[in-house]
Amino acid sequence: MTTLAEIEEEIQNVLSVADELDEEQQPTALQYLDELGIQETQKADGVIYAIRKRQSEIHFLKEEEDRIRARRKSAEKRLQEFKDYLTGIFEREGISRIKALKGTLYLRQSTSVEVTDIDSLPADLVHTKVSFEPLKKDIKEKLKKEVDVPGARLDTRKQLCVR
């Protein structure tokens, strides 16, 4: 099967010798160019179809990720509610341990820290994070105005678009 690049190259080859063709060869060359144009269109349609199919697959996968994540979070919440319910029963009935064939249910004392006012904590008990995020929009504006911005440059590239 002919590639899009080969079709483009063949069109350029025919066009480059078009001035050298006599009147008898020109209709054949024009017909061949029409055939190449049809091949080019069919190939481009195939490429567009492949791109759109991949985009559709990616969109579907993102939706599935969101759906599965929501389902997992819901299951985690239901599990925690069930454990809280069982904890309430254990406490109400004064049960500390139940042994079964597949495992043991028991209450365990645990502690956790709840910070009520982070500003009141001593500095040695607070981890400070400093984050630098470049203001790309502002940098781009300066670079477009040909202002030198150390540590940044304007990167121009071509991007394939499908409509």
Side-chain angles (χ1 to χ4, degrees):
M1 177 168 255
T2 309
T3 67
L4 190 57
E6 291 170 343
I7 294 170
E8 293 296 326
E9 185 179 342
E10 188 64 19
I11 289 172
Q12 290 302 318
N13 290 340
V14 172
L15 291 175
S16 67
V17 296
D19 294 338
E20 301 169 12
L21 299 176
D22 59 34
E23 289 183 18
E24 293 175 9
Q25 295 173 325
Q26 284 183 357
T28 306
L30 288 174
Q31 182 180 356
Y32 184 54
L33 278 174
D34 285 342
E35 291 172 11
L36 289 172
I38 291 170
Q39 286 180 24
E40 177 185 46
T41 301
Q42 290 173 340
K43 185 62 74 168
D45 283 340
V47 168
I48 290 168
Y49 171 78
I51 289 172
R52 286 188 177 150
K53 183 176 178 191
R54 294 297 181 276
Q55 288 172 333
S56 176
E57 289 172 359
I58 291 167
H59 179 71
F60 171 77
L61 290 172
K62 284 181 181 177
E63 286 180 347
E64 282 297 292
E65 284 175 343
D66 293 343
R67 185 184 65 80
I68 291 170
R69 184 179 302 105
R71 193 170 159 192
R72 176 186 52 85
K73 288 184 181 228
S74 176
E76 288 172 346
K77 182 180 176 192
R78 285 193 312 271
L79 175 62
Q80 187 58 50
E81 288 170 352
F82 184 62
K83 285 181 172 182
D84 292 345
Y85 169 74
L86 289 174
T87 301
I89 292 173
F90 272 52
E91 288 175 344
R92 186 181 70 226
E93 300 299 325
I95 302 169
S96 61
R97 181 179 301 264
I98 298 176
K99 273 193 155 190
L101 294 174
K102 298 195 178 203
T104 303
L105 297 171
Y106 63 96
L107 292 180
R108 179 175 53 114
Q109 188 77 22
S110 67
T111 58
S112 66
V113 174
E114 180 182 346
V115 176
T116 56
D117 184 12
I118 195 165
D119 295 328
S120 300
L121 293 173
D124 63 329
L125 297 177
V126 178
H127 176 71
T128 304
K129 291 183 185 177
V130 177
S131 159
F132 296 98
E133 186 176 322
L135 302 172
K136 289 187 176 184
K137 184 178 178 184
D138 296 341
I139 294 170
K140 183 177 183 179
E141 288 176 15
K142 286 187 180 240
L143 289 172
K144 279 190 169 186
K145 292 177 184 175
E146 297 184 6
V147 175
D148 184 41
V149 179
R153 64 182 172 87
L154 202 56
D155 184 23
T156 305
R157 60 187 117 157
K158 295 189 179 182
Q159 184 178 13
L160 181 66
C161 298
V162 178
R163 281 192 276 148

